Amino acid sequence: MLDRRTEKLAHCKAVLKRKINYLWPAKVLSHKLEIAFIMRSDEVKKGHSRTPHRSLFRATGLKDDDFDKPFIGVANSFVEIIPGHFFLNKVGQIIKDEIKANGCVPFEFNTIGVDDGIAMGHDGMLFSLPSRELIASSVETVMNAHKLDAMIAIPNCDKIVPGMIMGALRVDVPTIFVSGGPMTKGHTKDGTPIDLATAFEAVGKHEAGNMSDEELKDIECNACPSGGSCSGMFTANSMNTLMEAMGIALPGNGTILALTKEREELYRKAARRVCEIAKDEASREKFKLRNILNENAVRNAFAVDMAMGGSTNTVLHMLAIAQEAGVDFQLKDINKISQRVSHIAKISPSLSTVHMEDINRAGGVNAVMKEMTKRGDEVLIDNLTITGETLFEKIEDAYIKDTKIIHTIDNPYSKVGGLAILYGNLAEEGAVIKTAGITGERVFTGKAVCFDGQPEAIEGIRGGKVKAGDVVVIRYEGPKGGPGMQEMLSPTSLIMGMGLGSSVALITDGRFSGATRGASIGHVSPEAAEGGMIGLLKDGDEIHIDVDNYILSVNLSDEEIAKRKAEFVPVKKPLTSRWLGQYRALVTNASNGAILKTDLF
């Protein structure tokens, strides 16, 4: 009998509390009534003045009980044209159902997305990097306009991952990222593992007469065999693994294959965890995104990037993320981290036989991080993660299951990391190279063959202008010059496909796809459009590259450089896009992460 009375009293109290909270703000009454939650969303759902707001919420299907629950934003990047995203509408439904089952209210919204592979090699790529800013701003806009309490973000490919992270940092509520997952690797008819990089390089082989039409079609039909982010350590999977290192995603986020039962359980775990946090006032404060994605997380991300030989684009994106997180991290700091980190995982395109599913089978990112700590030297820094554990607690029981896939620190591919920042009179503010992808010598001196833009370079490479021993220079493709900083996968793939990969270097103020390999140096800053040395180069200039000593220079006298600077008039490409015109006016160069200026007034 006592239990029934207690239960009835509790029910009456809850009903009374709801009714009073509709009429007066919860904060005013908190000293008089025991209020279950003081939530961010109370600003749009509590008090008599929010009657019209609740009426609008009711139009979407909310009931009385829902106004006492946390409101969770579900930021989905479902886009039908992207292989890594066309199925994310179903992922969103799985996550929303799990959120509802765990006592919270989900509100799904979408961002845009660009498929870099489809946009590659034509002016569609100009819109890829700028899309990062639109995605960040859309997440910030929806979350802050509606005062949602927490967020679960569903990205997968390229600029969408960093864009969502940047937007989430501006909002600073508890946020869990759970990506769509990588696709399986493909196979040719004879069983050879292939992927998107194979398809791009096949074009060069075909044009050089080294591949038949039938072989080319075989690769086309089998390189991308399923939904998911492209199967190698390209930009998407690089960023998806780094989210594990930053502590903002659950273990397996970067490596568990898309469209599998294992991936579906990861979605459900993420949804349960975000609700667990959102329903507890202390947890909502403790797990705010900036408490997790701090300086330690940024440095851990760069360290894991070095150990796994990630895409050069991660440098661009992590610099931008650091800025949003309020972390003082400079491009020059990357080499210091690289010197402390052994490169222990080599994945396509650096090693064509290894893909993300192999890394998952060998122990995943946790196994990589656990092995990294054995080198000591504070390679990784213990830090809070969204799971509730610290990083070291999370990886405590991890181990390498296949040392042929993930090497030990006693048998690394290199005793330094897989990325390097080069400096010199040709890159006074820095340039980036994926050392893990070098196929030739690490010291290279050659004559410049200059092209003012990617289309001109593709035509020149196809036309035989580039010979062994040359340094291909592609300029006016930086953030301002492009504008939009195109990826150079088409020219680098042509060079590899034509058999010049180990005998030709390439430098650009643009950037590279994660699928690029070879002696490819990007992000040269200052860029040509702002008067950088890369814009002053002439055909035949001798360029010197020394990766291990971090040097990128041109062998010209100070007098000759001064003369060229005095005569220099930068090329300014005509624009028909208003958005790209705005982007050109606001964007900074690659050494600053190509972020947009905000201090305009």
Side-chain angles (χ1 to χ4, degrees):
M1 179 67 73
L2 184 61
D3 288 344
R4 289 178 61 188
R5 287 179 180 176
T6 303
E7 186 179 315
K8 187 174 182 180
L9 180 62
H11 174 72
C12 292
K13 187 176 181 181
V15 172
L16 178 63
K17 189 193 308 178
R18 282 200 304 270
K19 289 182 177 179
I20 292 175
N21 283 343
Y22 285 164
L23 300 177
W24 294 281
K27 290 180 181 178
V28 174
L29 293 172
S30 60
H31 66 289
K32 296 179 180 178
L33 290 173
E34 182 185 344
I35 305 237
F37 305 115
I38 304 296
M39 291 176 277
R40 186 174 186 258
S41 59
D42 287 349
E43 192 165 346
V44 295
K45 68 186 183 186
K46 293 295 179 75
H48 71 277
S49 66
R50 296 300 184 250
T51 296
H53 302 62
R54 289 191 297 275
S55 183
L56 290 166
F57 280 122
R58 289 179 190 278
T60 69
L62 266 61
K63 308 298 182 185
D64 283 359
D65 289 350
D66 293 324
F67 294 107
D68 286 329
K69 300 174 183 177
F71 285 2
I72 311 295
V74 179
N76 200 340
S77 55
F78 163 66
V79 181
E80 287 188 333
I81 201 168
I82 306 176
H85 294 246
F86 74 89
F87 56 90
L88 295 185
N89 55 336
K90 296 175 182 176
V91 172
Q93 191 60 55
I94 292 168
I95 287 171
K96 287 187 293 182
D97 289 345
E98 197 70 27
I99 287 172
K100 290 176 183 176
N102 283 270
C104 296
V105 181
F107 291 99
E108 186 176 14
F109 62 95
N110 283 84
T111 70
I112 65 164
V114 171
D115 186 292
D116 281 17
I118 295 172
M120 195 76 66
H122 57 89
D123 60 7
M125 181 52 74
L126 297 175
F127 292 89
S128 175
L129 185 59
S131 74
R132 186 187 73 181
E133 311 308 313
L134 295 175
I135 292 163
S137 295
S138 68
V139 169
E140 176 188 13
T141 297
V142 175
M143 289 295 295
N144 280 343
H146 304 104
K147 300 298 179 185
L148 303 181
D149 297 300
M151 180 167 70
I152 188 162
I154 315 171
N156 211 22
C157 296
D158 298 300
K159 268 34 85 220
I160 298 154
V161 177
M164 282 190 164
I165 295 173
M166 291 162 66
L169 281 165
R170 298 174 194 173
V171 178
D172 195 26
V173 297
T175 303
I176 297 180
F177 292 83
V178 57
S179 299
M183 69 171 62
T184 60
K185 58 189 170 187
H187 294 88
T188 58
K189 290 178 180 178
D190 65 4
T192 303
I194 57 173
D195 52 42
L196 184 65
T198 315
F200 272 97
E201 291 183 10
V203 175
K205 291 180 180 179
H206 184 265
E207 294 192 3
N210 297 324
M211 180 174 285
S212 69
D213 291 348
E214 183 181 358
E215 289 172 315
L216 188 66
K217 186 64 179 289
D218 181 22
I219 290 171
E220 175 188 328
C221 293
N222 294 297
C224 300
S226 70
S229 50
C230 296
S231 56
M233 194 65 169
F234 313 143
T235 305
N237 291 328
S238 296
M239 291 304 303
N240 287 331
T241 57
L242 296 195
M243 287 195 286
E244 292 190 48
M246 287 184 272
I248 60 177
L250 303 184
N253 182 72
T255 58
I256 297 173
L257 286 177
L259 301 169
T260 61
K261 288 293 183 183
E262 190 180 8
R263 195 81 199 181
E264 183 175 328
E265 180 53 30
L266 187 70
Y267 303 143
R268 296 187 187 281
K269 283 181 182 178
R272 290 194 291 269
R273 178 58 182 156
V274 81
C275 289
E276 185 179 34
I277 294 169
K279 290 192 290 185
D280 179 73
E281 189 172 350
S283 293
R284 288 198 302 272
E285 185 63 34
K286 179 179 180 179
F287 293 101
K288 283 184 174 180
L289 187 57
R290 286 173 177 262
N291 292 341
I292 297 172
L293 214 176
N294 52 25
E295 182 174 356
N296 291 343
V298 169
R299 292 184 178 276
N300 286 340
F302 274 114
V304 171
D305 205 10
M306 298 294 174
M308 298 184 72
S311 163
T312 53
N313 282 321
T314 58
V315 174
L316 195 70
H317 299 321
M318 285 305 305
L319 287 173
I321 288 167
Q323 293 256 12
E324 293 286 0
V327 171
D328 182 15
F329 189 94
Q330 306 298 320
L331 193 63
K332 59 183 172 56
D333 296 331
I334 294 174
N335 286 339
K336 298 175 186 176
I337 294 174
S338 177
Q339 290 163 3
R340 299 200 307 265
V341 177
S342 299
H343 179 207
I344 59 174
K346 207 165 193 177
I347 309 153
S348 179
S350 301
L351 187 59
S352 62
T353 56
V354 177
H355 295 81
M356 298 312 295
E357 61 196 89
D358 302 310
I359 297 295
N360 190 61
R361 176 175 52 80
V365 181
N366 275 3
V368 172
M369 290 193 286
K370 180 67 174 182
E371 189 66 21
M372 288 170 65
T373 62
K374 294 179 182 178
R375 181 165 168 176
D377 300 327
E378 293 186 342
V379 173
L380 294 174
I381 309 165
D382 205 15
N383 199 46
L384 180 66
T385 75
I386 198 67
T387 67
E389 308 159 289
T390 68
L391 182 68
F392 288 174
E393 289 170 343
K394 186 176 73 167
I395 66 175
E396 183 177 2
D397 297 325
Y399 64 97
I400 300 173
K401 299 176 183 178
D402 186 343
T403 55
K404 293 179 181 177
I405 301 299
I406 302 173
H407 286 202
T408 65
I409 58 165
D410 298 323
N411 181 36
Y413 289 103
S414 169
K415 290 184 178 180
V416 295
L419 294 170
I421 310 301
L422 310 184
Y423 291 94
N425 63 1
L426 188 42
E428 293 177 354
E429 296 177 16
V432 182
I433 184 169
K434 183 174 181 174
T435 58
I438 294 175
T439 55
E441 298 298 320
R442 295 169 74 92
V443 178
F444 190 97
T445 301
K447 302 293 185 181
V449 181
C450 300
F451 302 102
D452 290 344
Q454 181 176 214
E456 184 180 312
I458 292 172
E459 183 180 347
I461 295 167
R462 284 175 172 162
K465 288 186 177 180
V466 177
K467 311 293 184 186
D470 288 340
V471 178
V472 178
V473 178
I474 307 177
R475 55 197 178 193
Y476 296 106
E477 293 292 5
K480 282 187 177 296
M485 205 176 184
Q486 293 199 68
E487 287 186 345
M488 302 291 146
L489 182 55
S490 292
T492 57
S493 296
L494 282 172
I495 288 169
M496 293 299 298
M498 295 170 76
L500 295 170
S502 60
S503 59
V504 166
L506 186 151
I507 67 170
T508 179
D509 50 11
R511 60 194 178 91
F512 297 113
S513 164
T516 292
R517 61 192 180 112
S520 302
I521 301 169
H523 306 198
V524 173
S525 300
E527 62 174 291
E530 58 180 344
M533 187 68 219
I534 190 171
L536 309 180
L537 295 176
K538 296 180 180 179
D539 287 348
D541 286 343
E542 188 177 75
I543 294 173
H544 180 64
I545 301 164
D546 186 337
V547 174
D548 294 325
N549 288 303
Y550 308 115
I551 294 171
L552 175 60
S553 62
V554 56
N555 294 331
L556 294 174
S557 67
D558 292 342
E559 291 77 15
E560 176 62 19
I561 292 173
K563 177 185 175 184
R564 292 189 189 185
K565 282 184 176 180
E567 299 171 349
F568 180 66
V569 178
V571 174
K572 191 169 184 179
K573 298 177 185 176
L575 283 178
T576 57
S577 166
R578 294 183 65 181
W579 161 229
L580 292 181
Q582 294 169 22
Y583 184 82
R584 172 189 276 172
L586 296 175
V587 73
T588 61
N589 70 28
S591 68
N592 293 298
I595 60 170
L596 300 186
K597 298 174 185 174
T598 56
D599 54 342
L600 302 177
F601 305 104

